[in-house]
Amino acid sequence: MRVQVPAWRSDDGAVTAEFAVVVPAVVLVLAMGLSAVQVGLTQLRATDAAADAARSLGRGDDAGTAAGRVARVLPGATMTSGVEGDLVCVRVDAVGGSGLAGVVPVSASSCAMGGGR
């Protein structure tokens, strides 16, 4: 003999409810992972921009040329430079990207021998 289960105790729709909870969580984890990759790539670009600018200033180019190199590699970044002994050092600051990555600050610095040596 089979027992009838009341309609209010049925499992109908349980999978739909679980799926509705899981999908936003998966989307959030995916967005966070892609944002982390974007921040990492921006960090690499900032490091390259700082190295290019430091070498440029080390060769005796003016600050405008070095800033142009930074802007070409990483648009929207700011550059500061200074001299430490025989070294010309550059610091590049930028944001991590767009979306979730836009709240992460990224900075990189690099030094090169000054005076065209």
Side-chain angles (χ1 to χ4, degrees):
M1 173 178 220
R2 187 164 182 201
V3 178
Q4 284 293 99
V5 177
W8 58 272
R9 294 188 69 187
S10 151
D11 287 338
D12 292 345
V15 172
T16 303
E18 291 169 2
F19 187 72
V21 170
V22 169
V23 168
V26 169
V27 169
L28 181 63
V29 168
L30 182 62
M32 290 173 61
L34 291 175
S35 294
V37 169
Q38 189 176 21
V39 169
L41 291 175
T42 302
Q43 179 67 47
L44 288 173
R45 291 172 64 197
T47 302
D48 288 343
D52 287 347
R55 283 192 301 268
S56 178
L57 291 174
R59 284 191 302 263
D61 294 341
D62 62 2
T65 302
R69 290 179 189 275
V70 169
R72 186 178 32 207
V73 174
L74 192 60
T78 59
M79 180 194 90
T80 55
S81 62
V83 176
E84 298 176 12
D86 290 340
L87 298 176
V88 177
C89 296
V90 172
R91 178 182 170 108
V92 174
D93 295 303
V95 294
S98 60
L100 292 175
V103 298
V104 179
V106 171
S107 65
S109 60
S110 183
C111 296
M113 287 296 284
R117 292 181 243 161

